[in-house]
Amino acid sequence: INLHFTGDMHAITAANNLLCALIDNHMQQGNAINIDQRRILFRRCMDMNDRALRDVIVGLGGKVNGIPREDGFTITVASEVMAILCLCTDIADLKKRLGGILVAFNRDGGPVFAKDLNAEGAMAALLKDAVNPNLVQTLEGTPALIHGGPFANIAHGCNSVRATKLGLKLADYCITEAGFGSDLGAEKFMDIKCPAAGIFPSAVVLVATVRALKYGGGMDKKQLKTEDVNRLKSGLVNLGAHIENMQKFGVPVVVAINRFDTDTKDELGAIEEYCENLGAYYAQSRVFEKGGDGGTELAEMVVNACERPNSFKPLYDPSLPITEKIGILAEEIYGAARVEYSSAAKKSMAEIENLGAAGLPVCVAKTQYSLSDNPALLGRPTGFTLNVRDMKLSAGAGFIVVYTGDIMTMPGLPKKPAADGIDVGDDGKITGLF
């Protein structure tokens, strides 16, 4: 596997930016469908963190270069094309969903979709190979299907429906990842992917570490390798929230305690006791240290959980009003006391309702560092206000994106980027990736 994998990300980026080029070209060539350049919703993308591209002006340089307008970039994983690739079932469904992308409004206030630009065929051609799952293997030869990568904090956080369904056909047990925690990828897996794909999980596995729980309990990062059962116990409320969130979907929960060599017996015992009190299964995982042999206990516990009663049900009915769906997530999953909507969010919500799309599920874009929309609130915050700053209809993907707090769909690089430590030697070997 190289850094470009099989080129899926590039194909998604190309398809996304083809649509953008078609929008600008249509306006340049006479604008037959009367697109309002002030109300273009669909943005360009690239697979790189670059804050300088969040808001840009395109079409500068005179008439030959197009119509000047405000634009911007999202990161490829937040593109609606990525979500569509991961939720489509076949080529026909892919084309239908691509054609359903809401790209702009016209000067009369009516919607403009990708199909109005006849874009879906060419976009699908760019995605013809990318739509197929990629078969790779672990170091021990276990097959793995790697396909799609929508981030769970700014998108729906699940791999493709096609890969999951293929995995289900190939083995007795299929394990799929939902990004970050119960408040992000897991909730979206339950409320968006499962209903769309017609599937449901037999069990949920939550991954926890001693170090993360101590950090959530207020311990300094530099001290995390030092035993501190009290700090650990203070941080366990966060794990408790994730366990209870998953139990609300009616599915057995297994906590995988991902062991490090600095974990102590008392710290591990505190986690196990806590899980037992909440009615969650648990097992230690040492796969990083021992490979497959280190995961036997966990695998046996997951198999056992899969045989337990299962009454899976999404958390909300998508036909509920938008504010009610958001309110359920805010209260039941995040722990918020109230939700506040900006004027921009209220305006966008009214437009979505006028388009008849209020019955779609909601995909909340939210920080991954907290159950709230404030990354500084660790543990299990309560009584806070969830701030909704805007919404966007992803009609092709089939959900409504709800932007909360300061979450960005084009991240920036940190003070010390990972690129600082990456290099390639004379032998062609890349170092510094991990």
Side-chain angles (χ1 to χ4, degrees):
I1 301 175
N2 65 17
L3 288 177
H4 304 281
F5 200 44
T6 58
D8 288 355
M9 290 291 190
H10 299 307
I12 293 165
T13 301
N16 183 104
N17 293 341
L18 168 61
L19 179 53
C20 293
L22 290 173
I23 294 168
D24 286 313
N25 184 64
H26 183 86
M27 292 190 295
Q28 175 75 350
Q29 304 299 341
N31 202 4
I33 57 178
N34 211 19
I35 295 173
D36 187 343
Q37 71 266 28
R38 301 163 301 178
R39 303 200 65 198
I40 294 174
L41 307 174
F42 196 79
R43 291 185 158 211
R44 290 170 163 83
C45 74
M46 67 180 296
D47 190 32
M48 186 67 63
N49 293 14
D50 193 344
R51 61 172 56 84
L53 295 178
R54 287 172 183 160
D55 294 287
V56 300
I57 303 294
V58 298
L60 297 178
K63 185 176 180 180
V64 70
N65 287 342
I67 297 174
R69 67 178 182 88
E70 290 186 48
D71 197 2
F73 282 73
T74 62
I75 193 167
T76 297
V77 294
S79 165
E80 185 175 354
V81 178
M82 170 65 84
I84 288 172
L85 182 87
C86 289
L87 290 168
C88 72
T89 54
D90 52 31
I91 291 292
D93 188 37
L94 173 70
K95 291 172 66 175
K96 180 180 178 181
R97 288 174 178 272
L98 290 171
I101 296 173
L102 176 66
V103 298
F105 288 95
N106 61 32
R107 292 197 181 101
D108 296 322
V112 178
F113 297 97
K115 60 187 176 185
D116 297 323
L117 297 165
N118 197 30
E120 66 271 30
M123 293 174 72
L126 288 171
L127 297 168
K128 180 180 75 71
D129 295 321
V131 77
N132 295 318
N134 307 293
L135 176 63
V136 296
Q137 61 181 327
T138 69
L139 292 174
E140 296 181 349
T142 302
L145 295 164
I146 310 296
H147 196 215
F151 286 2
N153 56 342
I154 52 180
H156 75 282
C158 305
N159 79 322
S160 75
V161 167
R162 287 166 62 87
T164 300
K165 286 193 169 183
L166 179 58
L168 287 167
K169 291 180 179 179
L170 297 176
D172 295 326
Y173 296 90
C174 176
I175 302 168
T176 185
E177 181 195 11
F180 298 118
S182 68
D183 54 322
L184 291 169
E187 179 274 315
K188 295 167 186 177
F189 176 85
M190 302 292 200
D191 287 325
I192 296 176
K193 180 176 177 177
C194 285
I199 58 176
F200 67 89
S202 299
V204 171
V205 179
L206 285 170
V207 181
T209 67
V210 167
R211 294 195 289 189
L213 292 170
K214 286 192 290 191
Y215 176 71
M219 196 170 184
D220 187 274
K221 283 185 179 181
K222 297 178 182 179
Q223 304 297 321
L224 292 178
K225 293 183 179 180
T226 305
E227 182 183 55
D228 193 329
V229 177
N230 290 330
R231 289 288 190 186
L232 173 72
K233 288 182 176 179
S234 296
L236 281 171
V237 292
N238 181 266
L239 176 60
H242 290 294
I243 291 172
E244 291 172 7
N245 282 350
M246 290 295 92
Q247 289 173 336
K248 290 174 182 177
F249 291 94
V251 181
V253 176
V254 180
V255 176
I257 306 171
N258 194 16
R259 278 197 62 174
F260 288 78
D261 57 4
T262 55
D263 300 343
T264 69
K265 181 179 179 180
D266 288 343
E267 290 173 330
L268 295 168
I271 298 175
E272 292 174 346
E273 181 182 1
Y274 188 82
C275 293
E276 196 162 335
N277 289 337
L278 285 181
Y281 302 99
Y282 59 86
Q284 294 183 23
S285 173
R286 306 186 73 165
V287 292
F288 184 81
E289 175 188 358
K290 298 182 177 182
D293 289 341
T296 302
E297 179 188 355
L298 174 61
E300 291 174 347
M301 187 60 70
V302 172
V303 169
N304 177 54
C306 289
E307 303 302 321
R308 298 300 172 184
N310 188 320
S311 55
F312 170 74
K313 184 181 180 181
L315 194 63
Y316 60 81
D317 182 340
S319 66
L320 292 172
I322 297 173
T323 54
E324 193 167 336
K325 287 179 284 196
I326 296 171
I328 290 171
L329 292 179
E331 180 180 348
E332 296 290 335
I333 300 297
Y334 312 144
R338 66 196 69 83
V339 182
E340 288 189 0
Y341 298 86
S342 70
S343 56
K346 291 177 181 177
K347 180 181 178 182
S348 297
M349 181 163 52
E351 290 177 342
I352 292 169
E353 291 169 343
N354 289 337
L355 289 170
L360 294 175
V362 293
C363 179
V364 178
K366 184 184 75 67
T367 179
Q368 70 272 31
Y369 297 113
S370 173
L371 287 163
S372 73
D373 58 348
N374 180 354
L377 297 181
L378 303 181
R380 189 175 190 172
T382 58
F384 62 89
T385 299
L386 183 73
N387 297 287
V388 176
R389 76 168 194 270
D390 205 355
M391 298 183 196
K392 180 177 78 74
L393 174 61
S394 290
F399 53 68
I400 300 163
V401 182
V402 179
Y403 300 102
T404 66
D406 297 324
I407 194 72
M408 298 284 185
T409 55
M410 170 53 84
L413 292 172
K415 187 173 183 179
K416 183 175 175 59
D420 283 358
I422 298 174
D423 199 3
V424 58
D426 294 340
D427 60 356
K429 184 178 179 180
I430 297 175
T431 57
L433 291 178
F434 304 105

